Amino acid sequence: MKNKLFFSAAIATIFAVSLVIGFQSSAKNLSFEENFFAGGEKKEMGDSGAYSFDKAHSSIGFRVRHMGLVDVPGYFRDFDGTINYDAKDVTKSTVEFTAKMTSVDTGVAGRDKHLRSADFFEVEKYADMTFKSTSVTKKGKVLTLNGELTMKGVKKAVSFPINITGFVKDQRGTMKMGVTAETVINRRDFGVNYGGNMPNGVAMLSDNITVVFQIEGNLPPAKK
């Protein structure tokens, strides 16, 4: 019995010490966001330059509520873009991208064909969706990317609260940058009006669409 009590006490002591060490360690190693807004060193901020979208590790997607029940996701698989990042003053950074509307993918071939039709994106007439930033604002710890989104020939001002998730160099010396962003737009503002109400009055498709970006950018090493 004494051995069991001693063993239990020893385990509890090791667990408590581990928690203390872990807490102290995490307290000393600030998160990227803490370094960023505390004016961390350049190696933690990344290098200034034009980061091209790494399409193999990025996505441009959306979510729409179906019949008031669940959010159905979709993606544009064919896209290109650039983040012109200013390490000294992030508010001087710019972003632009183009997504091919024909590449819409919700995982259901029949639905994707319908989305390409005149009921939705009318891709034969409007092949691209584009975004070009007009400013980046910083308020406290919140960064907001402001710009113009063009879809189906309609240009609207939109804003994306953004999160710079960090920087890292890969084995080839390429500086990689992570950025995530999410915002809500009204599809009817862009002429996407298909879909009525269900018998209970709930919309078959929500007017509000959540647009989601998960972007990894690449800045190749400078040529010597």
Side-chain angles (χ1 to χ4, degrees):
M1 184 67 178
K2 291 182 179 180
N3 289 337
K4 288 184 178 180
L5 290 174
F6 176 80
F7 180 75
S8 299
I11 292 296
T13 301
I14 292 171
F15 181 71
V17 171
S18 298
L19 285 177
V20 171
I21 293 174
F23 176 79
Q24 290 175 340
S25 178
S26 62
K28 292 178 181 178
N29 296 300
L30 298 178
S31 67
F32 171 77
E33 289 81 3
E34 289 170 320
N35 275 313
F36 183 89
F37 290 102
E41 295 179 1
K42 188 174 181 182
K43 65 180 180 180
E44 294 163 336
M45 303 295 290
D47 296 328
S48 295
Y51 289 74
S52 60
F53 286 15
D54 180 348
K55 292 188 284 186
H57 302 100
S58 301
S59 64
I60 294 177
F62 58 89
R63 298 193 303 268
V64 57
R65 180 60 59 94
H66 182 244
M67 296 185 180
L69 298 174
V70 296
D71 288 342
V72 177
Y75 300 90
F76 296 101
R77 299 300 186 183
D78 187 1
F79 58 88
D80 282 295
T82 304
I83 302 170
N84 288 290
Y85 173 68
D86 190 319
K88 293 182 179 179
D89 185 352
V90 69
T91 64
K92 293 180 180 178
S93 303
T94 62
V95 179
E96 58 183 62
F97 73 80
T98 299
K100 297 293 182 183
M101 303 301 279
T102 55
S103 70
V104 65
D105 179 7
T106 64
V108 179
R111 181 168 60 203
D112 295 342
K113 182 179 179 180
H114 192 193
L115 288 173
R116 296 184 186 105
S117 74
D119 284 343
F120 289 94
F121 297 137
E122 201 170 354
V123 300
E124 290 186 2
K125 187 175 180 180
Y126 305 105
D128 297 335
M129 174 175 67
T130 63
F131 174 82
K132 188 172 184 178
S133 66
T134 54
S135 67
V136 176
T137 58
K138 180 179 172 183
K139 186 175 182 180
K141 292 188 176 184
V142 178
L143 287 173
T144 302
L145 177 67
N146 309 295
E148 295 176 331
L149 181 69
T150 302
M151 185 170 63
K152 289 195 72 173
V154 179
K155 183 186 291 185
K156 290 284 185 180
V158 297
S159 295
F160 294 86
I162 60 174
N163 178 33
I164 299 177
T165 57
F167 295 88
V168 66
K169 280 190 177 181
D170 67 12
Q171 64 274 22
R172 294 181 293 274
T174 297
M175 178 69 75
K176 302 180 76 68
M177 175 185 192
V179 178
T180 62
E182 185 173 312
T183 195
V184 175
I185 62 173
N186 189 311
R187 63 187 177 92
R188 297 186 187 274
D189 289 343
F190 295 90
V192 182
N193 299 311
Y194 180 84
N197 289 340
M198 303 298 294
N200 62 359
V202 175
M204 183 174 69
L205 298 173
S206 62
D207 289 347
N208 287 337
I209 307 295
T210 302
V211 183
V212 183
F213 297 91
Q214 298 276 340
I215 304 299
E216 191 171 295
N218 290 336
L219 180 67
K223 294 182 180 179
K224 296 181 179 179

